[in-house]
Amino acid sequence: MTDVAFTDEGFRDGPQSLWGSRMSTETMVDGAALVDAAGYEKSVVISGATFEAAVQHLREDPWQRLDAVTALLPGTPPVAQIRGRTLFGWKQYSDDVLELFMTTLAKHGIQWFLVYDALNDMRMIEQHVRVAHQLGLRVTVPICYSVSPVHTPEYFAEVIGRAAGMQAAGVSLLDASGLLSPTAAEELIATARATLSGSATSLEMNVHDLTGRGLACYRVAMRAGVDVFASVPRAVAYDRAIPAVTDTLAAAVASGRTARLHRAAVDRVDDYFALAAYLQGQPVPTSTPLTADELDAFESHQIPGGMMSNLVVQLRDLGIEHRLPEILTEVARVREEFGYPVMVTPCSQMIGVQATLNVVGGQRYASVPTEVKNYFAGVYGTPPGKLDEDVLDRVLGDEPQVDPYEPLTEPMLPRFEREHGPFDSAEDLLLAVMYSTQAVSTFYQQRRACRTRPRRPETALVAAVLERLRPTRLRIRL
């Protein structure tokens, strides 16, 4: 119990939560060797959001990025976070796509997978774990935390037990919305510990700080013996992201535990990310606890911070920002009718869109997106709670619900290749499978070359000074 390990999330969770995933390949390359020297158990280097940002916004080759970054992490297993059956895309993919996808990620240096399902439907990720074991790689299964009448200790014991039964290397208590209080964290950890008793599965934790309670939950978890903590450099910590590594390290020391990190190297990583934030014009956030009234309002709708900011912008563009309180009230009602899914991708987006349509349209469920119809049909798996029968009838009508698992065994790739191929590589095929023809075509047309050899941080700092200040003379003292 004395030793505690750390997962680095500086390349994934921090910029995904705070920078809209707009961290460049060059920024990652320059920091990778520093991270590798710090002693992390693993480093999460890519996810669906960061992969998509590379393709559709930064126009950087995500496969080249993986090659460059993973090569600089020889002592730190690189990790890919996968959103269940949607992988890095937005629709459900079959077994053959999943296997090619994970095999290709492994070819580009990934050694560990974080695989979560938004509904905590463990049947949706069984194949991921099976394929990872076939590849000789490890898997951590995040269990998505939420607050609702169905998210009871018995519920969490069941899903944690099923994850451990798949022989996952780790189970992570993931609170993407910052809903956990220190008291609730203590209860959840006790449930997890009792469920994992006698198992070789490690217990991990990732708590976002939207309510300002992330570090307090980590302190409780340190004392309760959680094995591995996700953390980030200070410049990409707190607010919508997770606690800073230096603060988490201090919590470990205060609780009498031995941290497997090299403090001087951690400080160097912190300094580098501070420079990266400065160069990108990104502010360094702070941890701000919500008031009791704000907490009550947040627990009602549970909309993640990044989604909330996007929703406000969209309503402002439509000239109806003043209707946000109505929509937030409707979000809570819609979530109940959906069977209380956790408000993470893709469920949070479905619920937010449907609630907005219900309010703006003036009649509930008069307009229903295809994704919501698929959700009620069962395509995305089994919700934690019961679907509202009246809404189910209104959404599906005479259309039947489906077995969400059976279609996943039917191969998708042969037909896709016949209709859209040939493809030069598995990488090109996977891009075409996950994104629209237009998006892929634009990516190839606008793809930019990236520097894949790291610079010393001092070199990056001098380059920034020269570019921004354009001095006529520069004196450097070492």
Side-chain angles (χ1 to χ4, degrees), residues 18 209-212 234-241 283-289:
L18 300 175
D209 195 57
L210 277 81
T211 60
R234 180 64 189 84
V236 287
Y238 299 116
D239 192 23
R240 297 187 299 272
V284 176
T286 58
S287 179
T288 306

Side-chain angles (χ1 to χ4, degrees), residues 94 96-97 100 411-418 429-430 433:
S94 59
D96 63 334
V97 177
L100 178 65
M412 294 174 60
L413 292 177
R415 179 178 176 181
F416 188 89
E417 290 189 88
R418 285 196 306 271
L429 170 58
L430 288 168
V433 167

Side-chain angles (χ1 to χ4, degrees), residues 147-149 296-303 324-341 343 347-348 350-360 362-366 372 375-376 385-392 394-395:
V147 175
S148 83
D296 287 343
F298 179 71
E299 288 187 1
S300 175
H301 61 74
Q302 300 183 20
I303 292 179
L324 178 62
E326 293 176 73
I327 291 171
L328 295 182
T329 298
E330 180 67 7
V331 163
R333 184 178 177 187
V334 169
R335 179 173 178 249
E336 179 179 356
E337 293 163 342
F338 273 52
Y340 294 108
M343 291 292 280
C347 296
S348 55
M350 290 186 216
I351 291 171
V353 168
Q354 188 62 62
T356 303
L357 291 172
N358 289 355
V359 170
V360 175
Q363 183 178 353
R364 304 187 76 241
Y365 295 98
V372 172
Y375 178 91
F376 275 86
K386 193 174 166 79
L387 297 173
D388 184 280
E389 292 290 344
D390 291 337
V391 174
L392 178 64
R394 198 177 309 172
V395 170

Side-chain angles (χ1 to χ4, degrees), residues 428-449:
D428 289 344
L429 170 58
L430 288 168
L431 283 177
V433 167
M434 287 186 287
Y435 303 115
S436 68
T437 302
Q438 180 58 51
V440 174
S441 175
T442 301
F443 165 69
Y444 285 127
Q445 291 170 11
Q446 300 180 5
R447 178 171 46 177
R448 72 181 193 88

Side-chain angles (χ1 to χ4, degrees), residues 116-119 144-145 174 176-177 304 341-349:
Y116 78 91
D117 180 77
L119 299 175
C144 300
Y145 178 76
L174 169 62
S177 295
V342 182
M343 291 292 280
V344 294
T345 301
C347 296
S348 55
Q349 286 83 355

Side-chain angles (χ1 to χ4, degrees), residues 197-212:
S197 178
S199 165
T201 303
S202 67
L203 182 60
E204 307 186 14
M205 198 161 213
N206 180 311
V207 178
H208 286 233
D209 195 57
L210 277 81
T211 60

Side-chain angles (χ1 to χ4, degrees), residues 12-22 208-210 232-242 277 280 282-286 306 309:
R12 200 280 308 178
D13 193 300
Q16 181 173 320
S17 298
L18 300 175
W19 299 2
S21 298
R22 305 304 198 270
H208 286 233
D209 195 57
L210 277 81
V232 290
R234 180 64 189 84
V236 287
Y238 299 116
D239 192 23
R240 297 187 299 272
I242 60 179
Q280 292 204 196
Q282 296 287 352
V284 176
T286 58
S309 59

